[in-house]
């Protein structure tokens, strides 16, 4: 299954950047530059999550939202925002080379919002600290439910098809993204 690869990369990047942040020389680098590098890295993971989804009956399960959520909740609001913008923009543009147009608007908005929500929660709810793995998993599930709601709301003219997509994708995408983000946080809190 291709979908496992972005999950592994997401967790690997979290561990890599977390360990790297413990090195004394790394701490002397400009924080905005570090946030940019982490944001761009997780933006690429979000793109990978888009491309390596798991297709079932015309619907593609993916872990695209886990990257901006991981970046924002674990490393900082700027990283989450950058990753969300990159992943969402890529999803919006991907219709040009054949990605599904039916969910393009909902998926693009949801990925950008995943980065924004992670940024806001990290900054204001968690006082610039990473949440517990349980909070991270819960936040991810809420974001995936919102993602599915967006698919339904942006396709009300074809509610039956939208409902079919939502029915097929909600549970697997919520679980896969929550395992990715929660597992990522767990790896750096043990």
């Amino acid at each position: 299954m291709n979908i496992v690869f972005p999950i592994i990369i997401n967790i690997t990047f979290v561990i890599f950047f977390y360990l790297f942040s413990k090195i004394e020389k790394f701490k002397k680098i400009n924080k905005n530059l570090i946030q940019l590098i982490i944001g761009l890295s997780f933006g690429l993971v979000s793109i990978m999550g888009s491309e390596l989804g798991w297709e079932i009956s015309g619907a593609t399960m993916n872990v695209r939202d886990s990257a901006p959520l991981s970046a924002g909740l674990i490393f900082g609001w700027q990283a989450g925002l950058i990753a969300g913008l990159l992943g969402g923009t890529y999803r919006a543009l991907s219709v040009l080379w054949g990605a599904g147009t039916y969910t393009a608007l909902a998926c693009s908005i949801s990925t950008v919002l995943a980065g924004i929500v992670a940024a806001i929660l990290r900054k204001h709810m968690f006082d610039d600290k990473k949440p517990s793995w349980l909070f991270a998993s819960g936040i991810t599930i809420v974001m995936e439910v919102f993602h599915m709601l967006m698919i339904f709301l942006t396709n009300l003219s074809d509610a039956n098809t939208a409902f079919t997509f939502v029915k097929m994708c909600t549970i697997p995408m919520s679980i896969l993204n929550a395992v990715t983000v929660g597992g990522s946080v767990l790896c750096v809190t043990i």
Side-chain angles (χ1 to χ4, degrees):
M1 262 196 297
N2 287 342
I3 199 165
V4 174
F5 189 66
I7 293 171
I8 292 168
I9 294 299
N10 191 93
I11 293 171
T12 302
F13 272 24
V14 166
I15 293 169
F16 171 78
F17 283 115
Y18 181 77
L19 292 175
F20 205 65
S21 71
K22 299 297 180 190
I23 298 171
E24 204 57 44
K25 286 184 180 180
F26 185 76
K27 292 177 183 178
K28 294 177 184 176
I29 298 172
N30 181 299
K31 289 187 188 281
N32 291 328
L33 178 60
I34 292 169
Q35 288 293 302
L36 178 65
I37 292 168
I38 292 171
L40 291 174
S41 298
F42 280 92
L44 292 174
V45 175
S46 184
I47 290 169
M48 189 183 305
S50 290
E51 289 298 319
L52 299 176
W54 174 26
E55 192 169 329
I56 298 177
S57 303
T60 303
M61 264 47 90
N62 63 70
V63 290
R64 175 182 45 252
D65 295 344
S66 63
L69 286 166
S70 294
L73 292 173
I74 298 170
F75 296 106
W77 69 269
Q78 301 100 320
L81 195 56
I82 293 165
L85 287 170
L86 187 58
T89 301
Y90 178 84
R91 177 58 182 99
L93 295 174
S94 66
V95 297
L96 299 174
W97 49 88
T101 56
Y102 190 79
T103 60
L105 180 60
C107 292
S108 301
I109 291 170
S110 296
T111 302
V112 171
L113 283 176
I116 291 170
V117 167
I120 291 170
L121 292 177
R122 168 75 186 216
K123 182 79 175 152
H124 298 290
M125 185 173 171
F126 299 113
D127 298 323
D128 271 333
K129 295 177 181 72
K130 65 182 174 300
S132 70
W133 70 270
L134 195 56
F135 269 117
S137 298
I139 291 163
T140 305
I141 290 169
V142 169
M143 288 308 302
E144 289 310 303
V145 168
F146 176 78
H147 188 149
M148 296 303 126
L149 181 61
M150 287 297 296
I151 291 172
F152 191 72
L153 291 176
T154 57
N155 293 290
L156 285 176
S157 61
D158 187 13
N160 288 334
T161 304
F163 184 73
T164 302
F165 270 89
V166 169
K167 189 169 124 182
M168 280 190 302
C169 296
T170 302
I171 291 175
M173 280 183 61
S174 295
I175 291 170
L176 289 169
N177 280 283
V179 165
T180 304
V181 178
S184 294
V185 171
L186 192 60
C187 285
V188 295
T189 52
I190 295 177

